[in-house]
Structures are given as C-alpha cells and as structure tokens.
C-alpha cells in the first residue's frame, strides 16, 4: 500500500526556540489531519536532538535535511547517517535541488548517501526534478529518468521498497510557480513506469510526493491526482496552520 505523506522541509529557517514553538503548534493540530496521512518534519540539524523525542511521541516523523556521503572520519562539518540514527531520526531528505545546485552534489554522491541512510535504518526522501530550461527544451522526462537510473535503480529490491520519492520541478521550488496538477500527474506516472521496468509491481507501492510551491489553495488538486501521494512542502511548512491545511487536503 502506498503511504500518504506530507513532509515539511524547514530548510535553514528558525532558531531553536522558534522551531520548538513550530513543532508544538504542528503537534497540537495533528488531530485535524486525516487518519492514514503520515506527517514528517525536517528541521535543521541543530534542532533534531531535542525535537526528535517529542515529535515521535506525537506521531510525527522526523527527518534530517541531509547526511554525509561517508560513514565517519575526517569530514569537518558533516553529519553522518549513523549519528542521525543514534538520536532517533527516521528519515533523511537526499538529493534536494538546493543541495545538487549549491553544493554540487552529483548522482554518485547521492547514491552513497542513500545507501548509508539505508544501512543505518533511515528512510531516504529522495528528490528528483528538472530545471526550467530542461522542461522548456522538452528534456524533463529524460532528466528525471537519469536521476532515477543513477540512484534509485541502483538499489536492492529490499531498499527500494522503503524509499520515498519527491518529484520537485526546480522551477517550482520557492518561486510561487506550481506545476499544474496535470503536469505533476504526468511526471509521477512516468516515474512509476520507469521504476516498474526495474522493480516490477513494487513500484506501485512507492510513495511519490510532489514538491514546489505547494500551498493550501492548490494542495487538494495536486493530491487528487492518482499518482501523487502527498507533498514535500518548503515555505508553507513554516506556518503550522498552512502545513496542517495542506495535510488535510490529502485525499
Ligand atoms: C522544497 O524546498 O522542497 C519545496 C518544495 O519548497 P517550496 O514549497 O517553498 O517551493
């Protein structure tokens, strides 16, 4: 069964006390979220240790926004999957376009991160998506297929069954420009087709989230598409009311 998921990526926002308030507000409104919808939040690293316990107790999943591509050692400033697992972090966003773009993370690096996350029992929320010029030059299917082939299709069937995917067209992230519901559905269905070729019917159970300027006003239409299983939410996840309203829109 595909899980319905709404995940909030706080990015580099909130001081610790602001994050604590936001987490409490989200937990306080959790009863409004339809049963069967898994909420996940991804606060900055500094907040994880203190927020993991209360969020997990409330039934909210906790994700890191990144992890290292090495197990341990002389990698100043990095945080390993083992460290995240040791404080109870359950998920990790990997391959976000901001990491690919600003930190030069390649598919090879991302594959290492995904494998390490799995080795430590952390479920990757793996992001894929094309840039504006790639869509405008009609290369979007090819780009997304390559991202899948180079990382997701390299996984074992057992790991694949656990992964969560997020289709995030780069041109829609933080721009206020959302993919239409039809564009999202078309790409999500394509992603499933690519994955079915490699993993068979297991691909029908993969949760594929949409991300990119998702807000309360457009969430229901996006989430109403057959292959859209929820959302990865950036800006709107910093407001508890908006985040919960988006989660309520999951059908
Ligand atoms: C994101 O960064 O994953 C994202 C979807 O951002 P936004 O919702 O702000 O476009």
């Amino acid at each position: 069964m595909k899980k319905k998921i709404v995940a909030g990526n706080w990015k580099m926002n909130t001081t610790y006390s602001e994050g604590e308030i936001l987490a409490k507000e989200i937990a306080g409104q959790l009863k409004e979220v339809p049963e069967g919808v898994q909420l996940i939040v991804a606060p900055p690293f500094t907040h994880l240790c203190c927020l993991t316990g209360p969020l997990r107790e409330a039934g909210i999943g906790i994700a890191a926004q990144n992890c290292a591509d090495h197990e341990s050692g002389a990698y100043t400033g990095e945080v390993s999957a083992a460290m995240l697992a040791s404080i109870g972090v359950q998920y990790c966003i990997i391959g976000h376009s901001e990491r690919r773009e600003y930190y030069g993370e390649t598919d090879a690096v991302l594959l290492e991160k995904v494998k390490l996350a799995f080795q430590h029992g952390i479920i990757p929320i793996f992001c894929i998506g094309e840039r504006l010029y790639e869509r405008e030059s009609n290369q979007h299917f090819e780009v997304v297929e390559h991202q899948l082939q180079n990382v997701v299709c390299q996984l074992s069937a057992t790991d694949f069954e656990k992964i969560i995917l997020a289709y995030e067209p780069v041109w829609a992230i933080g721009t206020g420009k959302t993919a239409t519901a039809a564009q999202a559905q078309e790409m999500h269905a394509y992603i499933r087709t690519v994955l079915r070729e490699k993993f068979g019917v297991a691909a029908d159970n993969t949760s594929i989230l949409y991300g990119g300027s998702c807000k309360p006003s457009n969430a229901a239409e996006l989430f109403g598409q057959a292959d859209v299983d929820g959302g990865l939410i950036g800006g709107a996840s910093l407001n508890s009311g908006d985040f919960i309203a988006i989660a309520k829109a999951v059908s």
Side-chain angles (χ1 to χ4, degrees):
M1 263 288 279
K2 293 189 292 181
K3 259 202 199 138
K4 301 282 184 179
I5 297 167
V6 174
N9 175 11
W10 294 4
K11 310 194 185 189
M12 197 174 73
N13 293 297
T14 73
T15 60
Y16 177 71
S17 53
E18 289 165 348
E20 195 178 27
I21 293 168
L22 180 55
K24 275 193 187 137
E25 284 175 1
I26 293 168
Q29 296 169 73
L30 191 60
K31 51 187 174 313
E32 295 176 35
V33 175
E35 215 173 296
V37 177
Q38 173 68 62
L39 276 199
I40 299 173
V41 297
F45 280 136
T46 45
H47 306 10
L48 290 175
C49 204
C50 293
L51 293 187
T52 294
L55 284 169
R56 285 187 66 160
E57 263 167 46
I60 298 169
I62 183 115
Q65 297 174 18
N66 183 28
C67 69
D69 58 333
H70 295 277
E71 176 65 36
S72 65
Y75 300 102
T76 303
E78 291 293 289
V79 174
S80 72
M83 292 170 189
L84 296 171
S86 74
I87 58 163
V89 169
Q90 300 152 296
Y91 304 91
C92 184
I93 297 173
I94 297 177
H96 192 282
S97 63
E98 288 153 14
R99 301 286 326 165
R100 292 178 190 259
E101 183 96 6
Y102 306 146
Y103 301 95
E105 294 189 358
T106 61
D107 287 345
V109 162
L110 298 175
L111 178 58
E112 288 311 307
K113 292 185 179 208
V114 167
K115 283 183 178 169
L116 282 164
F118 276 127
Q119 276 169 31
H120 292 283
I122 291 177
I123 297 177
I125 301 172
F126 185 67
C127 306
I128 49 187
E130 80 284 357
R131 297 177 202 152
L132 185 59
Y133 78 87
E134 291 163 336
R135 178 159 284 263
E136 286 175 345
S137 55
N138 212 27
Q139 289 172 280
H140 45 297
F141 292 117
E142 200 184 314
V143 168
V144 168
E145 180 168 356
H146 272 119
Q147 292 170 337
L148 291 170
Q149 294 290 359
N150 291 342
V151 181
V152 182
C153 293
Q154 305 302 316
L155 300 175
S156 67
T158 318
D159 283 347
F160 171 71
E161 280 173 20
K162 293 181 228 146
I163 203 165
I164 299 166
L165 297 179
Y167 168 58
E168 300 205 302
V170 182
W171 48 271
I173 296 179
T175 58
K177 218 175 175 190
T178 319
T180 63
Q183 284 172 322
Q185 169 55 27
E186 184 183 40
M187 183 59 88
H188 283 226
Y190 180 72
I191 291 167
R192 227 180 273 290
T193 304
V194 170
L195 296 174
R196 219 178 271 126
E197 277 169 27
K198 166 79 186 176
F199 295 105
V201 289
D204 295 341
N205 294 326
T206 306
S207 296
I208 309 177
L209 316 183
Y210 168 79
S213 298
C214 187
K215 39 190 185 266
S217 58
N218 58 27
E221 202 189 348
L222 287 160
F223 299 163
Q225 305 302 306
D227 288 289
V228 179
D229 307 309
L232 179 55
I233 318 299
S237 73
L238 294 169
N239 177 297
S240 62
D242 285 351
F243 186 54
I244 296 294
I246 289 170
K248 282 165 75 175
V250 175
S251 49

